Amino acid sequence: MKNIKITDTSLRDGHQSLWATRMTTSDMIPILDKIDEVGYHSLEVWGGATFDVCIRYLNEDPWERLRTIRGIVKKTPLQMLLRGQSLVGYTHYPDDIVEKFIEKAAENGIDIFRMFDALNDVRNLEAALKAVKATGKHAQASVVYTISPVHTMQHFLDTALKLREMGADSICIKDMAGLLSPYAAYELVKMLKENLDVPIQLHTHYIGGLAIAALLKAAEAGVDIVDTASVPMAFGSSQPPVETIVRALQDSERDTGLDLHKLFEIANHFEQLRKHKGFERGVTRISDMRVFEHQVPGGMISNLMSQMEEQKATDRIDEVLAEIPRVREEMGYPPLVTPTSQIISIQAVLNVLMGERYKLCPGEVKDYVRGLYGKPPVPIKEEIRKKIIGDEPVVTVRPADLIDPMWERARQESAHYARSDEDVLTYALFPQVALKFFAWREARGHEDMPQIETHNEVREELDITKENPPATRNTINQLSPKASFRGDEEMNIDHIRELILLLDQTSISELEFQKDDYRLALRKNRHDGDMTKMAAPATADIREEPAPVPAGTIDLVEVISPMVGTYYAAPSPDAPPFVKIGDRVEAGQTLCIVEAMKLMNEIKAEVSGVVADILVDNAQPVEYGQVMILIAKN
Ligand code: CO
């Protein structure tokens, strides 16, 4: 057997698993040439959460990062992780976006595209595989590994054979939760090697400690490539350390041939970085190791814990962890990986917190049941499906066939800011966050511009009239965050809407607008979601002074928030609000959304009546039990 080859994940999965993906490009640059000298099979540097975190938290252009790395790493192939039809996002995109994204990623430096679908529904990889083949780059398709009564060795083999038939240049076993035992690894790799004519790669996570043994048994079975990370970014929920694997295989027939000394030099760089930035070591907590029971991957577990903390329900985590396998079974045993890990976990949390199973189901759970994420490994339990979507039909075609092309629209919508096709793609994938990032980038380009993020107590006043509208972003950017606007009679609601649109594209957090009888509070939405959010919230709203409840109204029904979260008045940023004050609503009608635990939960009216008051601003946090809306019952 040949030397085993190694893919280094330090620059993607390593810091995604342990450091919340917060390594910046400048953290990487000083060590890239050394990494390039090691002789790795490939470097995983892009995809997964890196794209989202770059624009959302690091104010970095992910495309720029890729080009920078490519500029320094001359010898080693660069690799990315692609979530099939979801690319680097959380929802399916139309084929035209998939094609364009892959074309541009290849152009900017990606050599190997590793793709997976959370449900092993190979239809969700069709477009991506075809697009990668069209670029002439290496298309690696993954078999997502999980344990369930239906995930037999035969299922994994069938999936791999289908992917090979579709053109995959290699197959990756993707064990995102670290569930693959050493003996299962041996059996699986051996079977794939016997039945396929392409390289087999193993990606696993350390978590419960199986990974090192699993890699060694896989090596025995003939695996071609394995994934590891530099030791400061290994262990815990990350990959096993490269240093251990190199040493373990030294002088065997699978010797990696890598130089330990060079690896320690690299480890030293990352260890200094870790200490300097206060990043964590890879540690396995018992709750993480309980992945053997609940299968929730490491990244999701810490997310779940912090969400339970937010809900002030940490004492109920055991109930949730027991509920997850039940929900998973009822939902057709999906492997738990983005986005199914979020979908199953949130439903389990809601089932526990609401005191009634499936009483509240987020939109994503409904979409999953509708078949919009693909086909679950086994059908969803009939009575559960009925409970969640009633008699709604279930989609049986490839989900992306139902999505309209989007490139042209994204191009037009982002025309004002986008400087390149790459920018248009960034916008298409994360519209809200992209606009904010573009505005930041633009502002940074103007040296004379004041710092818009600093909080300045001085109130500036600006005359805004029809003749002198706030027509440019610069006008807005030059204001301090607390600036107030004074308008005149000419300033109508349309002007204000325009103003809000402009505000929306800046970093200003709050503005007040005073005009005669109107008192409008315009708040820049600070809560633009984060990396695991599935839908972008509305961005700004106009809150008129609440209309007084008509005299004689007898019965006011309070609509309370069922959990700690964020209130949204509309289903999407561009959409009108679900309800306005004075609207008539019927029982069962959606009133608002409370976003909690990364998902959007529609809150429905329990009674019919008239909306008497809305007590929460769009995109504002709400507490458990907080009254959000009053309905005058009749
Ligand atoms: Co991983």
Side-chain angles (χ1 to χ4, degrees):
M1 275 191 269
K2 291 184 295 189
N3 280 14
I4 218 161
K5 293 180 197 155
I6 300 217
T7 290
D8 173 59
T9 65
S10 306
L11 304 176
R12 203 286 296 177
D13 208 353
H15 72 117
Q16 181 174 326
S17 295
L18 296 180
W19 301 351
T21 329
R22 294 302 199 275
M23 205 195 298
T24 64
T25 306
S26 51
D27 293 336
M28 301 172 184
I29 289 173
I31 198 68
L32 286 177
D33 52 351
K34 273 218 173 95
I35 296 178
D36 195 21
E37 291 300 321
V38 168
Y40 281 121
H41 166 74
S42 64
L43 307 180
E44 191 189 50
V45 297
W46 220 55
T50 59
F51 198 98
D52 187 1
V53 172
C54 268
I55 53 169
R56 200 185 291 270
Y57 299 113
L58 303 176
N59 274 333
E60 269 195 38
D61 183 346
W63 299 97
E64 189 64 48
R65 169 180 294 185
L66 179 54
R67 287 190 292 269
T68 304
I69 296 175
R70 179 78 288 173
I72 303 172
V73 176
K74 307 270 193 229
K75 303 183 217 166
T76 320
L78 299 183
Q79 182 170 326
M80 79 166 291
L81 180 68
L82 194 86
R83 296 168 180 153
Q85 200 75 26
S86 302
L87 300 174
V88 292
Y90 307 100
T91 175
H92 281 191
Y93 298 102
D95 291 345
D96 62 341
I97 297 293
V98 171
E99 286 156 20
K100 197 81 181 172
F101 182 89
I102 287 170
E103 179 195 318
K104 286 288 152 189
E107 228 176 87
N108 281 276
I110 296 295
D111 303 296
I112 301 173
F113 289 83
R114 173 183 292 172
M115 59 191 80
F116 74 95
D117 176 67
L119 297 173
N120 281 334
D121 184 339
V122 298
R123 299 172 307 167
N124 292 336
L125 297 178
E126 270 170 27
L129 257 168
K130 223 172 114 199
V132 174
K133 299 300 274 185
T135 65
K137 301 290 185 180
H138 184 106
Q140 180 175 76
S142 309
V143 173
V144 170
Y145 182 77
T146 188
I147 296 173
S148 87
V150 291
H151 288 91
T152 56
M153 287 290 161
Q154 193 60 43
H155 163 90
F156 297 126
L157 177 61
D158 290 344
T159 308
L161 287 172
K162 269 186 255 170
L163 292 169
R164 173 68 187 118
E165 223 167 84
M166 286 161 66
D169 297 311
S170 62
I171 297 292
C172 173
I173 301 165
K174 182 178 165 64
D175 175 29
M176 62 280 163
L179 294 170
L180 188 64
S181 75
Y183 298 99
Y186 184 86
E187 197 186 338
L188 185 52
V189 169
K190 201 164 182 337
M191 184 182 62
L192 294 182
K193 284 300 290 178
E194 280 168 6
N195 290 281
L196 288 141
D197 54 353
V198 290
I200 305 298
Q201 184 156 4
L202 176 55
H203 175 84
T204 181
H205 285 252
Y206 184 83
I207 313 180
L210 296 176
I212 294 173
L215 291 194
L216 294 180
K217 288 302 282 183
E220 262 181 61
V223 76
D224 297 277
I225 316 148
V226 296
D227 286 11
T228 61
S230 182
V231 60
M233 268 172 292
F235 297 111
S237 53
S238 181
Q239 270 72 62
V242 62
E243 298 80 358
T244 307
I245 298 303
V246 167
R247 180 66 190 94
L249 292 170
Q250 250 168 18
D251 306 323
S252 78
E253 61 172 335
R254 304 306 317 271
D255 195 328
T256 63
L258 302 191
D259 177 353
L260 265 178
H261 183 71
K262 279 187 188 158
L263 295 174
F264 284 126
E265 277 181 359
I266 293 164
N268 193 44
H269 167 81
F270 288 124
E271 181 64 1
Q272 296 307 319
L273 182 69
R274 189 188 72 74
K275 285 184 182 156
H276 178 69
K277 298 215 164 181
F279 291 137
E280 276 185 51
R281 291 216 70 96
V283 173
T284 295
R285 294 161 195 88
I286 296 175
S287 62
D288 299 335
M289 197 188 263
R290 282 183 63 191
V291 68
F292 299 154
E293 284 178 357
H294 55 62
Q295 299 209 14
V296 181
M300 188 63 209
I301 268 288
S302 49
N303 204 309
L304 194 62
M305 292 298 279
S306 72
Q307 297 300 333
M308 293 300 284
E309 232 161 75
E310 212 173 275
Q311 300 297 326
K312 300 178 182 68
T314 38
D315 55 321
R316 307 193 70 180
I317 187 77
D318 280 351
E319 286 171 73
V320 171
L321 291 181
E323 176 70 4
I324 287 172
R326 273 181 84 187
V327 173
R328 179 167 176 254
E329 180 184 348
E330 288 161 346
M331 295 283 195
Y333 289 114
L336 298 185
V337 61
T338 299
T340 43
S341 48
Q342 285 89 341
I343 289 173
I344 300 301
S345 309
I346 177 88
Q347 193 57 59
V349 170
L350 290 171
N351 286 356
V352 168
L353 292 187
M354 300 296 289
E356 184 190 329
R357 305 185 76 230
Y358 301 103
K359 186 181 180 194
L360 186 64
C361 300
E364 288 81 359
V365 173
K366 288 182 186 163
D367 283 349
Y368 171 84
V369 177
R370 288 179 186 122
L372 294 177
Y373 287 93
K375 198 170 160 219
V378 286
I380 294 162
K381 287 218 167 126
E382 186 70 15
E383 72 266 24
I384 301 296
R385 182 176 59 79
K386 279 232 150 80
K387 216 162 175 192
I388 297 173
I389 59 165
D391 290 325
E392 274 187 55
V394 171
V395 164
T396 52
V397 296
R398 185 184 73 115
D401 286 338
L402 303 171
I403 315 174
D404 289 333
M406 201 172 123
W407 172 256
E408 250 332 289
R409 183 164 59 88
R411 208 177 55 78
Q412 281 165 20
E413 283 175 10
S414 64
H416 189 77
Y417 278 107
R419 299 174 187 165
S420 60
D421 284 357
E422 285 83 348
D423 280 353
V424 177
L425 286 164
T426 304
Y427 174 81
L429 296 176
F430 300 99
Q432 296 286 321
V433 194
L435 283 182
K436 207 178 196 177
F437 168 71
F438 294 153
W440 173 86
R441 188 176 64 182
E442 198 141 307
R444 189 191 50 171
H446 299 275
E447 300 289 272
D448 52 340
M449 201 155 288
Q451 280 276 321
I452 48 178
E453 286 282 13
T454 56
H455 276 265
N456 185 345
E457 283 309 311
V458 182
R459 280 184 170 257
E460 293 171 16
E461 291 201 342
L462 202 82
D463 270 345
I464 297 170
T465 62
K466 207 172 189 177
E467 284 71 41
N468 184 28
T472 66
R473 283 180 315 288
N474 287 358
T475 325
I476 305 295
N477 276 342
Q478 278 156 8
L479 294 171
S480 73
K482 291 250 173 188
S484 64
F485 287 80
R486 187 188 301 277
D488 64 8
E489 281 77 34
E490 298 290 326
M491 180 104 177
N492 62 24
I493 205 79
D494 286 330
H495 290 105
I496 298 166
R497 280 191 198 286
E498 264 178 47
L499 173 64
I500 294 168
L501 258 172
L502 286 165
L503 292 179
D504 200 7
Q505 295 160 3
T506 69
S507 310
I508 294 170
S509 62
E510 186 166 347
L511 284 160
E512 275 185 13
F513 178 78
Q514 313 249 346
K515 181 182 170 295
D516 299 338
D517 302 333
Y518 281 177
R519 198 165 65 73
L520 302 170
L522 311 184
R523 281 195 193 80
K524 173 82 179 81
N525 167 35
R526 304 295 295 167
H527 192 104
D528 209 353
D530 62 24
M531 50 196 270
T532 45
K533 186 142 311 153
M534 300 205 174
T539 50
D541 72 330
I542 297 179
R543 187 187 62 171
E544 296 181 30
E545 282 300 284
V549 178
T553 302
I554 326 142
D555 202 358
L556 275 184
V557 176
E558 296 177 336
V559 178
I560 60 163
S561 174
M563 62 213 122
V564 182
T566 307
Y567 170 91
Y568 292 114
S572 73
D574 320 317
F578 291 109
V579 291
K580 299 185 300 297
I581 293 171
D583 280 1
R584 158 127 211 115
V585 292
E586 300 302 326
Q589 188 177 333
T590 302
L591 299 171
C592 63
I593 285 173
V594 173
E595 181 266 309
M597 286 162 289
K598 315 299 174 194
L599 294 181
M600 300 291 172
N601 306 290
E602 289 185 1
I603 307 298
K604 301 198 186 306
E606 292 202 345
V607 297
S608 303
V610 173
V611 177
D613 204 354
I614 298 174
L615 303 167
V616 196
D617 283 345
N618 188 46
Q620 291 304 299
V622 284
E623 287 297 317
Y624 171 76
Q626 182 177 341
V627 182
M628 302 183 292
I629 294 173
L630 292 173
I631 296 177
K633 191 176 161 188
N634 58 16

